[in-house]
Amino acid sequence: MLKLKRIAIDTHRESIAYLSRACPHYRVDEFQALGKIEVHAAGGTCILATINIVDDAALLAPDELGLSEEAFRVFGLPPESRVRIAHPKPVESLDALRGKIEGHELDDAEYTAVIRDIAASRYSKMEVAAFLVGCAGFMTVEEVLRLTRAMANVGQRLDWGDRLVVDKHCIGGIPGNRTSMIVVPLVMAHGLTIPKTSSRAITSPAGTADTMEVLARVDISTDEMRAIVDRIGGCLIWGGRVNLSPADDVMITVERPLGIDTREQMVASILSKKLTAGSRHLVLDIPVGPSAKVRSQNDAVRLRKLFEYVGGKIGLSLDIRLTDGSQPIGRGIGPVLEARDVMAVLRNEPMAPADLRERALLLAGALIEADEAVKGGQGIHRARALLESGAGLQAMERVIEAQGSNLGPDGIIPAASRKCHEVAAQHSGLVNGIDCLRIARVARMAGAPAFKDAGVDLLKKIGDPVRQGEPLYRIHAGLDADLGFAAELAMQDNGFTINGMSGHGV
């Protein structure tokens, strides 16, 4: 038996075990060749982990087995627990994976087997990537449905009884589009139940959970989430803690860095999460624009039909809105800057971003119309009344208090970083276009979301006049080095088109 040791290394959703080369109990080379091991403890607790061999006695003693932060969290036992290791059992679903790579159609049982093994960390990241690439190459509509059901059936599922549970989701790709943080309190103020789980950023400057964390704690357990929703009717939390569609969390960490984001995988990912969260009615925002995830109306219509087909088959009512994705929403891009915009809207401040407010009201109104007492077309008026009366702000304050406030005294939002650089227009004219991907990349290079006070503050939007030398946006960076990297990226191409001329070489 070996003593368990927690190794403070973040391996990001991958379970890693560390074994000393000087271990007296096991022949290390035998396990190293396998690549993976099973870790067993008394009572039947077991995890599968990738094995790394350690030569530094200061890091790991010969009689210890180290586990990375992720593996330690999954294993759930305290340090110095006694464990043993064993050869891993063959992963039978790899036959289905090979079939998918070869272009075969998989059935329900095969998708369930693959997803169960991914959720149990039996697949390496290389094998997960192979599955994703195989699915990207060929999937029928029925396979999308099978994948969605398989992802929903592995992991826990929330049940809210007879309550009408609603949710809102955006497919992403548009910087600053933090409508969820306005929609949720408005829907709560109306009286509907909305337990909103959101993601953290992987390749973007901020996810909803990153931005909400500026205001309140988002790392909430399932039991605490239930208590909060039962008490106030909603929440805004990080979905990674509540184990909804866990295979999806693993696949996202692989597919996004690889740039794999097919419509089939998108539909299965989103709808499986909503089904396991107990939602019955979903409003889905699909932004359409030249640098959005969906570039044309024809592509948007095809995606909408796929969502509607799968959603109907799994019993989820969908209201899909195709919205303007031609430019970032609001002014701030990055957690602190986005939180500033959200609270400005909820507080009815005169300078609050009008586009963020109106987009949020449109989506909140659509959700409110899930209430049979609200006539069609009246939802947006109800949402506006709740916003203007301050009821939405009061609901957000209840969420912040229930989850645990991260705000300063008197509810003050932290300031953006003082490490700044302004990106100026190369020539005068009207702003014709803004490249969402480029602006997001600049904000990410500046340090967002790792530094919550980093990002980009837009000073001009499409249709605004600008003079040569006038600032288009301000970069806020976490470190001096980050500021230099982001400024250099903006110098190559600032992401703005003025009078039909792009900002290359500014």
Side-chain angles (χ1 to χ4, degrees):
M1 300 290 280
L2 300 172
K3 287 190 297 184
L4 192 63
K5 181 177 181 179
R6 183 175 187 168
I7 305 295
I9 298 177
D10 182 359
T11 52
H12 196 53
R13 304 292 303 186
E14 187 170 11
S15 293
I16 304 292
Y18 302 91
L19 184 66
S20 170
R21 194 180 300 277
C23 177
H25 306 298
Y26 297 97
R27 187 154 52 91
V28 172
D29 291 344
E30 178 182 353
F31 288 99
Q32 186 177 21
L34 293 170
K36 285 185 176 268
I37 60 171
E38 288 182 356
V39 184
H40 295 265
T45 303
C46 174
I47 64 165
L48 189 72
T50 300
I51 182 72
N52 285 351
I53 305 303
V54 176
D55 290 306
D56 187 348
L59 179 62
L60 196 69
D63 65 342
E64 291 179 320
L65 181 78
L67 290 182
S68 65
E69 293 283 9
E70 173 66 12
F72 200 85
R73 181 188 68 80
V74 172
F75 203 40
L77 293 181
E80 300 198 2
S81 297
R82 293 291 176 172
V83 298
R84 63 181 178 85
I85 63 176
H87 293 236
K89 298 178 182 67
V91 181
E92 295 181 0
S93 69
L94 286 177
D95 288 338
L97 166 61
R98 295 185 191 100
K100 194 67 229 171
I101 293 171
E102 293 169 2
H104 298 163
E105 182 174 346
L106 303 186
D107 60 25
D108 286 300
E110 289 171 319
Y111 273 113
T112 297
V114 170
I115 293 303
R116 185 179 290 119
D117 285 339
I118 290 175
S121 299
R122 296 190 182 101
Y123 275 30
S124 67
K125 286 189 175 181
M126 179 177 64
E127 290 162 338
V128 173
F131 175 68
L132 292 168
V133 170
C135 290
F138 166 73
M139 281 190 87
T140 66
V141 172
E142 288 303 316
E143 281 187 286
V144 179
L145 177 58
R146 292 167 196 158
L147 178 60
T148 304
R149 284 174 171 160
M151 291 168 65
N153 290 335
V154 175
Q156 69 172 326
R157 212 159 172 170
L158 301 178
D159 185 355
W160 303 99
D162 295 332
R163 281 180 284 185
L164 174 59
V165 176
V166 300
D167 204 348
K168 169 265 170 191
H169 189 87
C170 175
I171 68 167
I174 304 299
N177 196 12
R178 286 298 149 250
T179 53
S180 292
M181 293 175 61
I182 302 168
V183 169
V184 169
L186 290 177
V187 170
M188 287 174 57
H190 177 72
L192 295 179
T193 300
I194 181 164
K196 176 66 177 166
T197 61
S198 302
S199 61
R200 292 190 185 276
I202 295 179
T203 58
S204 65
T208 297
D210 299 302
T211 302
M212 185 63 195
E213 197 169 38
V214 173
L215 308 179
R217 187 168 60 94
V218 296
D219 191 358
I220 304 288
S221 69
T222 305
D223 289 343
E224 192 174 2
M225 173 192 181
R226 288 182 185 276
I228 291 170
V229 174
D230 286 342
R231 187 165 76 252
I232 66 173
C235 64
L236 275 157
I237 68 169
W238 174 50
R241 179 76 185 276
V242 292
N243 199 36
L244 302 177
S245 188
D248 183 51
D249 294 331
V250 176
M251 290 191 291
I252 284 174
T253 63
V254 176
E255 67 187 11
R256 289 190 181 170
L258 289 176
I260 301 172
D261 195 12
T262 67
R263 62 177 187 168
E264 292 82 7
Q265 289 162 358
M266 181 192 302
V267 169
S269 172
I270 292 171
L271 295 187
S272 66
K273 280 280 177 67
K274 301 310 173 186
L275 187 60
T276 55
S279 301
R280 293 164 54 189
H281 182 84
L282 171 67
V283 167
L284 186 65
D285 178 13
I286 301 180
V288 184
S291 57
K293 284 185 179 180
V294 179
R295 305 292 174 89
S296 71
Q297 286 292 324
N298 285 339
D299 287 343
V301 170
R302 285 195 293 270
L303 180 59
R304 180 173 65 189
K305 288 180 177 178
L306 184 58
F307 267 115
E308 289 172 342
Y309 175 79
V310 177
K313 289 291 186 179
I314 63 175
L316 188 60
S317 172
L318 265 69
D319 182 352
I320 299 176
R321 303 297 173 108
L322 307 184
T323 57
D324 179 13
S326 61
Q327 63 178 327
I329 305 296
R331 294 193 301 271
I333 301 164
V336 162
L337 293 165
E338 292 174 13
R340 175 205 65 189
D341 286 356
V342 164
M343 294 307 292
V345 171
L346 288 171
R347 290 168 176 166
N348 291 295
E349 294 178 4
M351 299 303 292
D355 57 349
L356 178 62
R357 180 183 64 242
E358 294 307 313
R359 180 75 58 90
L361 288 173
L362 171 72
L363 300 172
L367 268 184
I368 287 171
E369 287 179 14
D371 181 354
E372 294 180 353
V374 179
K375 295 180 180 179
Q378 295 303 305
I380 191 169
H381 301 297
R382 171 66 171 156
R384 194 179 302 277
L386 290 167
L387 177 65
E388 293 176 352
S389 70
L393 175 60
Q394 292 170 7
M396 175 59 95
E397 290 171 343
R398 289 195 293 273
V399 172
I400 293 171
E401 186 275 331
Q403 294 181 198
S405 176
N406 284 337
L407 294 173
D410 300 320
I412 296 174
I413 298 172
S417 170
R418 293 185 179 181
K419 300 180 191 296
C420 300
H421 173 78
E422 290 189 342
V423 177
Q426 188 179 16
H427 42 263
S428 301
L430 284 178
V431 177
N432 306 127
I434 302 177
D435 186 334
C436 291
L437 293 174
R438 190 70 180 184
I439 297 299
R441 191 178 171 202
V442 170
R444 181 89 182 184
M445 195 69 74
F451 290 92
K452 285 191 163 41
D453 59 352
V456 165
D457 204 7
L458 293 173
L459 306 176
K460 297 292 181 180
K461 301 291 283 287
I462 290 177
D464 288 344
V466 62
R467 297 186 304 275
Q468 183 178 8
E470 190 177 4
L472 299 170
Y473 55 87
R474 185 177 299 114
I475 301 171
H476 296 268
L479 299 170
D480 289 332
D482 292 339
L483 187 64
F485 295 145
E488 183 179 356
L489 187 64
M491 185 180 300
Q492 296 168 8
D493 179 359
N494 63 27
F496 272 63
T497 301
I498 299 172
N499 283 2
M501 293 182 284
S502 67
H504 287 281
V506 174

